Amino acid sequence: MNICFNKDLFEIYLESGFPKSSIVVEGDPVFDEIFLEKFIEPKQISDKTSVLFCPTPMHEHGWMTQAEEDQLILDTIHSINKKNNIDLSLKIHPSTSSFEEYNLLLKQNKLDVPIFQKENTVELLRKYDVMITYGSTDAILEAILLKKIVIVIKIKQSKNFSRFFHKDLIKICENVKNLASLIDDSIKRKIPENFYDDFIETHIGKFDGKNSERIANLILGLK
């Protein structure tokens, strides 16, 4: 028996020659905890739209120069700050990014933006309306599972936007100058439930908080 976590892996197993009858599609147990987060009391309603900007570590891994990424971050923040009805925070990578580096960048440009790093991303996302990023990050998947608005900034270093891309759930920003208006438009969108169902089937198989239990039972059944 071969356990896979989503539709994409199922197809890979088939192409690799595994018999269809030997493949069991279950959800990824990593996301069982996120499912339970859906039932926690939502964030307090505010007159302002809250935005969590999650930069993907690009210059840290050599995909961009630091100057290029710094400019992208500054352009993004300036564009969002054009709107008075938006509260913006920054969530940088917990291990590969430098808090001091980002803090200095903001201070040098007189930008008063809270920075998070070690905090749990899922717990943070619950408190925000919109998540913005570029490149590819697990924060995209986590935000969609929590049914948050996701906007991905198009950059030349990421031809496919993200491995989690979904044309009906993720808005692509072609130009950061248009971010503020894109946020406003996205807030007004009503997203059908079946779009989320399709995303879940493709990327994590099942999302009901019981994946760990099912997989454990499958393993026990092999004895």
Side-chain angles (χ1 to χ4, degrees), residues 50-56 69-70 72-74 76-77 80 87-93 97-99 101-107 111-119 121 124 128 130-134 153:
S50 55
V51 175
L52 189 63
F53 178 26
C54 301
T56 301
E69 187 162 22
D70 284 353
L72 174 59
I73 290 169
L74 292 175
T76 298
I77 293 173
I80 294 172
D87 278 333
L88 174 66
S89 298
L90 201 63
K91 170 63 169 77
I92 61 177
H93 195 277
S97 295
S98 165
F99 184 93
E101 180 182 293
Y102 282 88
N103 192 42
L104 179 61
L105 177 67
L106 297 181
K107 282 187 175 181
L111 292 169
D112 184 18
V113 178
I115 305 176
F116 299 103
Q117 182 172 29
K118 301 299 183 181
E119 290 80 359
T121 305
L124 269 180
Y128 289 81
V130 180
M131 195 279 289
I132 294 176
T133 189
Y134 50 83
I153 300 168

Side-chain angles (χ1 to χ4, degrees), residues 121-174:
T121 305
V122 172
E123 292 178 5
L124 269 180
L125 283 168
R126 286 188 56 250
K127 303 173 184 177
Y128 289 81
D129 303 306
V130 180
M131 195 279 289
I132 294 176
T133 189
Y134 50 83
S136 188
T137 168
D138 286 348
I140 294 174
L141 175 56
E142 293 164 342
I144 290 180
L145 292 179
L146 291 173
K147 297 188 177 179
K148 301 297 181 178
I149 293 165
V150 177
I151 298 175
V152 175
I153 300 168
K154 182 179 180 181
I155 55 175
K156 62 182 180 180
Q157 291 84 356
S158 184
K159 295 179 181 179
N160 296 320
F161 306 117
S162 165
R163 67 187 186 279
F164 297 124
F165 179 67
H166 188 289
K167 64 182 180 64
D168 297 312
L169 290 177
I170 298 173
K171 281 286 187 180
I172 300 300
C173 179
E174 302 276 351

Side-chain angles (χ1 to χ4, degrees), residues 37-54:
E37 293 282 346
K38 297 196 307 180
F39 304 102
I40 297 177
E41 185 178 351
K43 78 177 188 69
Q44 185 177 357
I45 297 174
S46 169
D47 293 335
K48 291 189 175 184
T49 299
S50 55
V51 175
L52 189 63
F53 178 26
C54 301

Side-chain angles (χ1 to χ4, degrees), residues 170-220:
I170 298 173
K171 281 286 187 180
I172 300 300
C173 179
E174 302 276 351
N175 188 330
V176 292
K177 294 179 180 179
N178 301 325
L179 257 178
S181 59
L182 190 56
I183 291 170
D184 282 345
D185 292 342
S186 298
I187 289 290
K188 299 171 186 175
R189 288 179 70 215
K190 180 69 174 177
I191 299 178
E193 195 68 27
N194 65 294
F195 289 175
Y196 290 105
D197 294 339
D198 178 62
F199 182 89
I200 288 168
E201 181 183 0
T202 299
H203 294 289
I204 65 168
K206 296 176 183 177
F207 186 54
D208 59 4
K210 299 178 180 179
N211 296 316
S212 299
E213 178 183 345
R214 278 193 297 268
I215 291 174
N217 288 335
L218 283 169
I219 293 172
L220 289 173

